[in-house]
Amino acid sequence: MIFDEMACRCGEWLRGSGPESDIVMSSRIRLARNLAEYPFIRRCNDFDRANIEVSVRERLEQSGDFDDFTFISVAELDNLDRQLLVERQLISRELSDAEGARAVAIDEAERISLMINEEDHLRLQVMKSGLDLDEAWQQINAVDDNVEQQLNYAFHPDLGYLTACPTNVGTGMRVSVMLHLPALVIAGQIDKVFNSLQKINLTVRGLYGEGSQAMGDFYQISNQVTLGKSEESLVEHVGSIVPSVISYERKARDVLIKDGNHDLFDQVSRAYGLLQNAQQISSEETMHLLSKVRMGINLGLIGDLEIPEVNKLFIQTQPAHLQKLRGGLPDSANRNRARASYLHRHLKRPKFGEDPAESN
Amino acid sequence: MKCQKCDKLATFHITDLSGDQLLALHLCAECVKEYLQPEETPPASTKVVSNVISKQLKLEQTTEELAELDHKECPVCGISFYEFRQGGRLGCPNDYVFFANELEPLLNNVHGSVEHVGKKPMRGPHDTQPQTELIKLRREMKEAVDLEDYELASELRDRIKSVEGESQP
């Protein structure tokens, strides 16, 4: 099954390349669309949902524009495979946990995913590694054009694309950039940054979107307004703010380094040491420690590990990925031990007999 | 020291920074779990919608008007205004037309605008009346089946078929 292969790869958003990729993990744009001839999802019965899934799939498959997409009926997946897709950000938690007919179409590179029967009938999403919003918009715009040739979108001349929630109406567009901001967190400046972002209508969320906690110092910045502004100006708005957040983070890193911040050096070294030597470890703690290690690499404090390797560990130590890679492990205690041994194997470095810590 | 939320022994002493205020908390092992992992809250957007609507309604309507408004139902999908403001989600595309007056202040509040200026579907001009008709007919057919009025149901099914034929892209 494709899921086993998937678990071994990193996927697009953890590729760890692209502009500003030491701080920007990924750029993402999603468009919310609904079919004109069905009620919105909350008012759909089982029959409507099944019809939507089948007709969208048939029409897109027949069009020939979606030949390199794999259609997956999410309702038919077991918990583990659904969780795997959530961890890879290919489907939302909402789609995973919903009831009834629902599906996702994913392109080969895992850059584009089309969710069917989420909060809206269709959620079209594109992800790019690093800061690359313009390219992301061009791609998803083209996908949207292709879908629109096949389906009747619910559209109102004054209000634009109609969505189940009035907070998405108009463009139906959410532009988000995922940032890794550990130095701003250490410097105690993160709330200040968020407050000023909120004043200019930008929202800050955790790693897995709405309602999720900020894990491992990862934050998503996205637009709040969807009506009254063009798609290009929304891309522009988010895209113009991100560089200043990046420069704050860089400044905070510089200051921490220049001050010879021993707390920082200590945190990085401890994190690395724990990941290498722990006997059992939860995914939350792993995420938290990997975040510190990732920053340590970017600051030149850790020389024997590369960012892509850390990104791979980020995804592969999450519960569903670990279960896929190791097989079994349904309970979390076993998983925590397996995670520790997995980290141990990937992070253990040969000793060269010059480690000052060892002689103490 | 006793836990601030129950009478057990407080074993966790937390200093929390909320805003710029320091908050000292003394909790037992059970209450601290609840404090550190608050129960799942509904998605932020649902809260935004229901908060804005309820504020708006309190400002502008009397209790009687409110009760009347809550009972207002979309003729196409059957959602009542009460259901919408509880769940924060609309029932069908026609709600944007049917509840236009109620939604306008909400849209203004959330987006600062009530006019779309972005992309438009290339296939147009757009008349979605036949599609809206389909939503209504399908609902009526289901109701007819539930009431075991099979004659009406089959009549509706034929009408659905003919509208479906017209509305294909």
Side-chain angles (χ1 to χ4, degrees):
Chain A
M1 188 58 201
I2 61 160
F3 296 105
D4 295 320
E5 270 171 56
M6 230 182 216
C8 305
R9 297 193 309 254
C10 245
E12 171 68 14
W13 67 280
L14 284 168
R15 200 154 46 87
S17 60
E20 314 280 5
S21 59
D22 58 330
I23 292 173
V24 182
M25 296 293 283
S26 64
S27 307
R28 173 157 60 154
I29 299 182
R30 73 112 170 96
L31 301 174
R33 298 289 187 256
N34 286 280
L35 306 186
E37 57 263 49
Y38 288 95
F40 292 143
I41 286 296
R42 290 280 176 96
R43 300 292 288 185
C44 279
N45 55 39
D46 294 348
F47 188 66
D48 292 331
R49 290 181 74 114
N51 266 344
I52 294 168
E53 180 183 335
V54 170
S55 65
V56 170
R57 180 175 180 160
E58 274 179 6
R59 293 207 146 253
L60 298 190
E61 279 181 339
Q62 280 163 16
S63 74
D65 293 323
F66 295 87
D67 288 349
D68 71 330
F69 281 70
T70 307
F71 283 80
I72 299 164
S73 185
V74 176
E76 286 164 21
L77 299 181
D78 60 22
N79 282 336
L80 184 60
D81 286 340
R82 290 206 307 267
Q83 178 63 26
L84 186 88
L85 293 177
V86 172
E87 289 173 6
R88 298 182 83 75
Q89 305 211 329
L90 293 169
I91 65 172
S92 61
R93 201 166 290 278
E94 179 162 349
L95 189 80
S96 167
D97 297 349
E99 303 266 315
R102 57 202 193 278
V104 63
I106 302 164
D107 79 326
E108 228 164 315
E110 292 187 42
R111 282 192 198 111
I112 297 166
S113 76
L114 318 176
M115 283 184 264
I116 304 169
N117 292 346
E118 213 246 19
E119 181 185 303
D120 295 292
H121 298 148
L122 278 169
R123 288 275 175 109
L124 320 177
Q125 164 186 289
V126 61
M127 265 187 298
K128 305 282 291 177
S129 195
L131 182 60
D132 200 359
L133 288 173
D134 292 326
E135 180 66 24
W137 163 236
Q138 278 171 28
Q139 279 185 14
I140 203 66
N141 191 22
V143 170
D144 184 48
D145 287 346
N146 287 336
V147 175
E148 187 225 301
Q149 291 303 310
Q150 306 304 322
L151 303 164
N152 291 312
Y153 279 158
F155 185 85
H156 185 284
D158 297 333
L159 294 174
Y161 296 93
L162 301 179
T163 51
C165 184
T167 55
N168 294 321
V169 77
T171 55
M173 180 157 97
R174 190 80 62 216
V175 181
S176 3
V177 175
M178 185 158 50
L179 299 156
H180 186 220
L181 304 172
L184 284 172
V185 174
I186 292 176
Q189 297 291 305
I190 200 86
D191 288 339
K192 222 194 239 171
V193 174
F194 293 168
N195 287 339
S196 44
L197 289 174
Q198 266 149 16
K199 281 186 197 132
I200 51 170
N201 284 329
L202 294 175
T203 308
V204 182
R205 297 191 174 99
L207 181 55
Y208 285 97
E210 207 165 289
S212 72
Q213 294 289 315
M215 277 199 285
D217 306 325
F218 290 107
Y219 296 92
Q220 279 187 62
I221 296 179
S222 55
N223 61 304
Q224 211 173 338
V225 167
T226 56
L227 179 64
K229 292 201 165 65
S230 71
E231 287 81 358
E232 287 80 6
S233 76
L234 290 173
V235 168
E236 223 279 311
H237 182 46
V238 177
S240 68
I241 296 308
V242 169
S244 35
V245 180
I246 294 174
S247 82
Y248 289 140
E249 170 68 17
R250 285 201 206 291
K251 260 182 222 155
R253 290 180 182 188
D254 287 348
V255 170
L256 291 175
I257 287 287
K258 215 185 282 162
D259 291 357
N261 189 314
H262 290 291
D263 286 350
L264 173 78
F265 300 159
D266 184 59
Q267 278 189 23
V268 170
S269 305
R270 275 171 187 269
Y272 200 19
L274 271 172
L275 288 169
Q276 286 171 324
N277 295 301
Q279 296 292 309
Q280 49 188 14
I281 190 163
S282 71
S283 62
E284 290 78 19
E285 188 180 3
T286 304
M287 179 82 85
H288 176 75
L289 297 173
L290 282 172
S291 165
K292 299 267 184 281
V293 166
R294 190 178 190 278
M295 176 178 62
I297 297 171
N298 283 327
L299 293 177
L301 302 176
I302 293 175
D304 57 359
L305 191 61
E306 306 280 335
I307 292 287
E309 177 72 10
V310 177
N311 286 352
K312 197 171 97 183
L313 296 176
F314 265 120
I315 189 83
Q316 294 189 339
T317 55
Q318 295 204 32
H321 277 77
L322 197 67
Q323 286 181 70
K324 276 284 173 196
L325 292 168
R326 297 291 309 270
L329 307 171
D331 69 297
S332 66
N334 277 329
R335 225 158 39 226
N336 289 348
R337 282 196 290 278
R339 185 176 293 112
S341 85
Y342 178 87
L343 287 164
H344 181 82
R345 269 188 294 120
H346 283 80
L347 292 175
K348 209 64 186 170
R349 293 292 177 263
K351 294 265 184 298
F352 297 105
E354 56 192 38
D355 189 343
E358 277 209 320
S359 55
N360 287 334
Chain B
M1 184 181 282
K2 273 184 188 173
C3 170
Q4 289 172 332
K5 301 209 170 166
C6 64
D7 276 335
K8 288 188 209 118
L9 184 72
T11 46
F12 288 81
H13 309 280
I14 298 174
T15 311
D16 205 352
L17 191 68
S18 65
D20 42 16
Q21 288 224 301
L22 281 176
L23 191 66
L25 283 160
H26 308 282
L27 302 169
C28 71
E30 262 167 51
C31 293
V32 77
K33 269 190 208 154
E34 211 174 292
Y35 176 76
L36 293 175
Q37 295 178 318
E39 278 176 37
E40 273 192 36
T41 46
S45 62
T46 310
K47 272 192 288 182
V48 170
V49 174
S50 41
N51 285 348
V52 172
I53 297 173
S54 55
K55 246 187 237 158
Q56 219 169 267
L57 292 176
K58 273 181 216 136
L59 289 176
E60 290 166 14
Q61 267 92 358
T62 64
T63 323
E64 295 82 51
E65 283 171 334
L66 233 167
E68 199 180 314
L69 176 60
D70 272 350
H71 283 109
K72 209 174 152 184
E73 267 182 22
C74 168
V76 173
C77 69
I79 197 174
S80 69
F81 193 72
Y82 176 77
E83 285 170 272
F84 163 60
R85 77 185 175 86
Q86 288 300 53
R89 300 289 182 275
L90 291 163
C92 76
N94 188 59
D95 293 347
Y96 281 97
V97 180
F98 185 71
F99 294 119
N101 291 336
E102 290 77 20
L103 285 172
E104 193 178 311
L106 170 73
L107 294 176
N108 248 324
N109 196 316
V110 173
H111 300 286
S113 167
V114 288
E115 203 182 342
H116 177 58
V117 294
K119 186 176 179 180
K120 292 181 171 66
M122 282 183 292
R123 290 182 299 112
H126 240 58
D127 175 19
T128 52
Q129 201 46 50
Q131 284 82 12
T132 309
E133 183 72 13
L134 274 178
I135 300 176
K136 192 168 168 231
L137 290 173
R138 285 206 200 94
R139 184 167 71 99
E140 285 169 356
M141 184 173 89
K142 183 167 184 303
E143 280 165 7
V145 172
D146 289 347
L147 293 169
E148 299 186 7
D149 186 347
Y150 297 114
E151 201 179 323
L152 178 62
S154 88
E155 208 176 286
L156 285 163
R157 192 196 54 208
D158 293 343
R159 277 173 61 196
I160 289 170
K161 283 235 167 91
S162 89
V163 181
E164 271 178 346
E166 291 164 29
S167 75
Q168 292 292 340

